[in-house]
Amino acid sequence: MSGARRDGSLDRKRDGGIMAKTAVSLQDVCVWTSERKVLIEDVTWTVRPGERWVVIGPNGAGKTTLMSVVGGDRFPSSGEAMVLGERFGKTDMRALRARIGRVDPNQRMLDWVNAEEAVLTGLKNQVWPKWDEWTPDDHTRARELLDLVGCADFAEQEIKLLSQGERQRIRIARALIADPALMLLDEPTTGLDFPGREALLATIDDLTATHPDLPMVIVSHHLEELPSSITHVMLMKDARVLGQGLAAEMLTSDWISACFGFPIEVQAFNGRWSARAAAGWTASVKRHVSSVVDLHAVDPYPDSE
């Protein structure tokens, strides 16, 4: 296909320029601290409407820093960043952040408000309710979104009475009520039991039908916690992009082993994935798996010249 990269992550116009309609465009982005500690290095990445990316990597790989840049909370130390058509350094970052929906298990919701009120606080991304500012249409929309995430029966229940899984689905509804142009989900299944996890993943999958053009980025450590609707994967290791591309191409034993640094067996079944240590491996056995995927021979940004 003309203009398509091997990893499927970045298309170009015939004139050589990156397509204008992108949700996220990072070019050679680096972030370091005042002590010059590198947090992420040379990240080039494009997310387009309708794509659902998962960023995977071990602790310390740079996932949180990457999300802070994409979410407009941090400027790159070098390189260029553009999110939702707005170039960092030349736009109102507060206005940009208002266009981004976020779901985070640590996101604060007052435990004495009910589920509908919690969703409505997402209109202006506030913690405290603004009852006098909400219109009848706002309330209708909040209830529609609660129904969308399977929480319609909890509309009048206080947050403190709901399970962690139910709260997470309410956070998704809260993020959607402001009609975001980009959704960021940071380890959304953290702390959930099995039924709660599966209900949350089903909710995320349902957004493919109700919000087909909404681009999404999910951060996760575990393949079992990935929704079946993901389209692309970025693997990070040691502050750099190890590889990126279509989910089916990246979620393999070779790639995941190279990412986490020990032999891992990955299995796919009905659009979901699972991972386990390879048979015979123990933590006391020192095996270098970088040779599984020849990292020197693999370009994480193919055809980007």
Side-chain angles (χ1 to χ4, degrees):
M1 182 173 62
S2 177
R5 285 176 49 172
R6 187 180 72 189
D7 70 355
S9 64
L10 180 65
D11 285 349
R12 294 177 178 272
K13 291 181 178 179
R14 286 188 173 86
D15 64 4
I18 296 175
M19 292 179 66
K21 193 175 182 182
T22 59
V24 178
S25 178
L26 306 183
Q27 186 69 40
D28 300 324
V29 165
C30 300
V31 175
W32 56 75
T33 68
S34 57
E35 294 80 20
R36 306 295 290 186
K37 178 183 178 181
V38 175
L39 301 180
I40 57 174
E41 186 173 14
D42 296 332
V43 174
T44 294
W45 185 33
T46 297
V47 178
R48 302 206 312 274
E51 293 182 345
R52 286 165 166 77
W53 283 79
V54 172
V55 180
I56 298 174
N59 291 335
K63 303 183 302 297
T64 299
T65 300
L66 176 68
M67 290 289 272
S68 69
V69 173
V70 174
D73 297 319
R74 184 194 292 263
F75 277 80
S77 303
S78 66
E80 296 184 358
M82 182 180 293
V83 174
L84 300 178
E86 303 293 340
R87 190 176 301 277
F88 285 26
K90 297 183 178 180
T91 191
D92 182 342
M93 298 301 288
R94 183 175 180 179
L96 173 61
R97 287 192 290 268
R99 299 170 60 196
I100 301 172
R102 301 165 188 255
V103 178
D104 184 329
N106 297 317
Q107 198 171 40
R108 186 185 178 196
M109 292 192 299
L110 298 173
D111 61 5
W112 49 266
V113 301
N114 63 38
E116 182 177 336
E117 292 166 337
V119 172
L120 286 164
T121 62
L123 284 168
K124 294 185 178 180
N125 195 25
Q126 298 167 324
V127 174
W128 290 85
K130 301 287 185 180
W131 294 281
D132 57 337
E133 297 180 5
W134 297 333
T135 68
D137 286 344
D138 291 336
H139 283 275
T140 298
R141 177 62 175 156
R143 288 184 175 261
E144 290 173 347
L145 289 171
L146 284 171
D147 184 55
L148 173 67
V149 300
C151 293
D153 292 342
F154 310 137
E156 299 299 326
Q157 291 192 35
E158 293 182 351
I159 293 297
K160 64 185 176 184
L161 301 177
L162 303 179
S163 70
Q164 182 65 14
E166 291 160 353
R167 296 181 193 187
Q168 277 296 84
R169 284 184 280 154
I170 289 168
R171 287 187 175 99
I172 292 178
R174 182 182 183 277
L176 290 172
I177 197 168
D179 293 323
L182 171 67
M183 282 279 284
L184 305 179
L185 297 91
D186 192 355
E187 300 187 47
T189 59
T190 296
L192 303 189
D193 60 14
F194 183 77
R197 183 190 78 183
E198 293 303 298
L200 181 71
L201 295 180
T203 296
I204 295 173
D205 284 336
D206 287 344
L207 296 182
T208 304
T210 60
H211 297 72
D213 296 325
L214 178 63
M216 185 180 301
V217 179
I218 302 172
V219 169
S220 181
H221 289 94
H222 306 292
L223 271 60
E224 294 80 5
E225 298 179 351
L226 304 184
S228 61
S229 55
I230 63 170
T231 60
H232 294 75
V233 172
M234 174 191 283
L235 301 179
M236 297 194 72
K237 183 177 183 179
D238 299 330
R240 301 179 67 94
V241 176
L242 178 68
Q244 57 179 299
L246 297 173
E249 297 174 358
M250 302 305 302
L251 295 177
T252 66
S253 298
D254 287 353
W255 276 111
I256 299 301
S257 296
C259 184
F260 285 91
F262 71 98
I264 297 173
E265 294 178 355
V266 174
Q267 294 183 330
F269 181 75
N270 287 344
R272 295 283 296 277
W273 294 266
S274 63
R276 55 181 290 179
W281 182 88
T282 66
S284 61
V285 177
K286 295 186 180 297
R287 294 178 59 185
H288 299 285
V289 299
S290 60
S291 59
V292 174
V293 175
D294 186 351
L295 303 184
H296 297 290
V298 174
D299 179 3
Y301 316 112
D303 303 328
S304 59
E305 298 295 333

